[in-house]
């Protein structure tokens, strides 16, 4: 039953810091990160391939390292940080979230023997609290700086001009469409921006998650319900200028050593679907560009048109 809370695993910087992070590639180059040993946030940092890190036995030490300017970032969850900062003699006013590594939804779990009708009544009661504002009141009492989860969760990625952060708020031409449609149906504007990998996993795992914008493919057709189209995309093979690579057909593309794709994008499965087996997946489009630049290889990229 839920969701009752949203737990973000974030990279936090000092409020006065000039760090600007739009994607994982930039985050990995942003500077040293302090983590707490064996915490979930440390696990996330390691899984995403960060190397400039230092591990400490407790949260207080990581915060002191950040507040003293010894590290540039701290990996922590949004739910634990306010209390930890208070113990350190600081507050959320001293820090800002620089980047979200993952977003997880928190639920109440009933045992499998529980009557489905009882679970449904609890879910209906929670949804009613969200509609009448009482849920938001409780949430604000305990997590005043956080946006409470609504009945629907709206998630997207950093992919300008389709979706991106502008002045600290999700923006973009598809973001504006989603915001307008949600407003017309009385759905709160709780759009959250995270990595595509994380957003896609949320839509697969949780009910009532709205993921945008996604290419509608045969492989994905049965995984989601679809509204649209909101744009038109073309999938194109790009090579580094001067590489000498020339591809005139899919048959010739099959002869390439490696093609870089983005994890969980439709371009990640499209090469294999067309018989191109040697593809290397990266968590973001910037990773593809880096691979092409460093290796002189080829990237299977999406060119997103602005016309509906």
């Amino acid at each position: 039953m839920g969701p009752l809370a949203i737990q973000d695993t974030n990279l936090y910087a000092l409020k006065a810091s000039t760090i600007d992070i739009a994607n994982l590639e930039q985050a990995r180059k942003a500077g040293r990160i302090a983590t707490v040993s064996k915490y979930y946030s440390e696990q996330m940092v390691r899984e995403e391939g960060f190397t400039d890190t230092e591990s400490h036995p407790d949260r207080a030490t990581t915060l002191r390292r950040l507040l003293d300017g010894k590290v540039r970032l701290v990996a922590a969850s949004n739910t634990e940080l306010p209390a930890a900062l208070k113990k350190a003699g600081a507050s959320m006013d001293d820090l800002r979230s620089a980047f979200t590594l993952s977003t997880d939804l928190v639920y109440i779990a009933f045992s499998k023997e529980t009557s489905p009708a009882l679970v449904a009544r609890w879910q209906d009661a929670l949804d009613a609290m969200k509609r009448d504002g009482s849920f938001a009141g409780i949430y604000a009492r305990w997590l005043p700086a956080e946006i409470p989860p609504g009945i629907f969760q709206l998630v997207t990625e950093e992919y300008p001009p389709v979706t991106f952060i502008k002045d600290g708020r999700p923006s973009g031409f598809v973001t504006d469409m989603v915001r307008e449609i949600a407003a017309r149906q009385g759905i709160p504007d709780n759009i959250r921006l995270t990595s595509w990998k994380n957003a896609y996993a949320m839509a697969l795992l949780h009910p009532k998650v709205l993921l945008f914008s996604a290419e509608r493919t045969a492989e994905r057709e049965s995984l989601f319900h679809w509204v649209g189209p909101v744009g038109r995309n073309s999938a194109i093979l790009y090579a580094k200028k001067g590489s000498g690579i020339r591809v005139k057909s899919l048959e010739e593309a099959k002869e390439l050593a490696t093609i870089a794709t983005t994890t969980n994008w439709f371009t990640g499965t499209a090469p294999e679907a067309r018989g191109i087996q040697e593809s290397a997946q990266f968590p973001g489009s910037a990773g593809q560009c880096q691979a092409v630049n460093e290796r002189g290889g080829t990237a299977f990229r999406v060119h997103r048109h602005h016309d509906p």
Side-chain angles (χ1 to χ4, degrees):
M1 183 205 88
L4 296 173
I6 297 177
Q7 181 168 300
D8 288 330
T9 301
N10 294 326
L11 296 179
Y12 289 93
L14 294 174
K15 182 158 263 186
S17 169
T18 58
I19 293 176
D20 185 19
I21 303 174
N23 52 56
L24 279 169
E25 286 74 24
Q26 292 178 7
R28 294 188 188 100
K29 300 175 182 177
R32 175 147 296 195
I33 301 170
T35 65
V36 179
S37 177
K38 299 182 181 179
Y39 270 33
Y40 177 70
S41 52
E42 182 177 75
Q43 177 185 334
M44 285 298 306
V45 166
R46 288 178 176 174
E47 288 180 355
E48 295 297 350
F50 288 80
T51 56
D52 192 4
T53 64
E54 57 182 49
S55 182
H56 297 279
D58 55 69
R59 174 60 66 208
T61 302
T62 64
L63 291 177
R64 181 47 51 197
R65 296 282 292 172
L66 179 63
L67 293 169
D68 290 345
K70 304 298 184 182
V71 296
R72 300 201 72 192
L73 297 161
V74 160
S77 76
N78 60 324
T79 52
E80 66 158 314
L81 204 56
L85 281 167
K86 186 176 182 180
K87 287 184 179 180
S91 73
M92 290 300 293
D93 290 335
D94 298 311
L95 306 184
R96 63 179 177 86
S97 174
F99 185 70
T100 299
L101 290 171
S102 73
T103 297
D104 298 290
L105 303 179
V106 179
Y107 289 79
I108 290 176
F110 289 82
S111 63
K112 295 291 287 184
E113 295 77 16
T114 305
S115 164
L118 175 61
V119 177
R121 288 198 298 272
W122 276 64
Q123 185 66 57
D124 290 343
L126 177 64
D127 290 348
M129 290 173 61
K130 290 182 178 181
R131 293 189 187 97
D132 65 26
S134 56
F135 177 83
I138 295 172
Y139 209 85
R141 191 184 316 154
W142 294 97
L143 296 169
E146 300 297 324
I147 299 174
I151 296 174
F152 288 90
Q153 317 309 318
L154 284 59
V155 292
T156 186
E157 64 167 336
E158 176 81 15
Y159 199 99
V162 180
T163 55
F164 61 101
I165 289 291
K166 181 179 180 181
D167 300 327
R169 186 169 185 255
S171 185
F173 83 91
V174 176
T175 303
D176 286 350
M177 292 181 200
V178 170
R179 185 171 279 129
E180 177 64 23
I181 294 170
R184 293 187 182 201
Q185 299 185 69
I187 298 174
D189 181 1
N190 65 353
I191 297 173
R192 306 179 77 85
L193 191 144
T194 183
S195 70
W196 178 255
K197 176 183 175 182
N198 182 227
Y200 193 85
M202 287 179 66
L204 288 176
L205 178 62
H206 301 286
K208 298 181 179 179
V209 171
L210 190 156
L211 170 70
F212 65 97
S213 58
E215 283 69 32
R216 186 173 185 173
T217 66
E219 294 81 8
R220 292 176 175 175
E221 182 65 28
S222 63
L223 299 178
F224 307 104
H225 299 291
W226 299 91
V227 172
V230 294
R232 179 170 61 88
N233 299 332
S234 299
I236 302 170
L237 287 171
Y238 289 91
K240 183 179 180 181
K241 191 171 183 178
S243 67
I245 295 174
R246 297 289 185 270
V247 177
K248 297 179 180 179
S249 68
L250 284 173
E251 290 304 314
E252 291 185 9
K254 294 176 184 178
E255 302 301 320
L256 296 173
T258 304
I259 295 178
T261 66
T262 302
T263 305
N264 287 330
W265 275 18
F266 86 95
T267 51
T269 56
E272 287 81 357
R274 289 159 175 78
I276 303 172
Q277 299 299 324
E278 298 298 323
S279 63
Q281 295 202 349
F282 295 85
S285 58
Q288 294 182 61
C289 294
Q290 182 179 357
V292 171
N293 185 53
E294 292 178 352
R295 305 176 194 177
T298 309
F300 197 69
R301 295 286 308 282
V302 177
H303 177 65
R304 295 188 170 182
H305 298 275
H306 296 192
D307 54 315

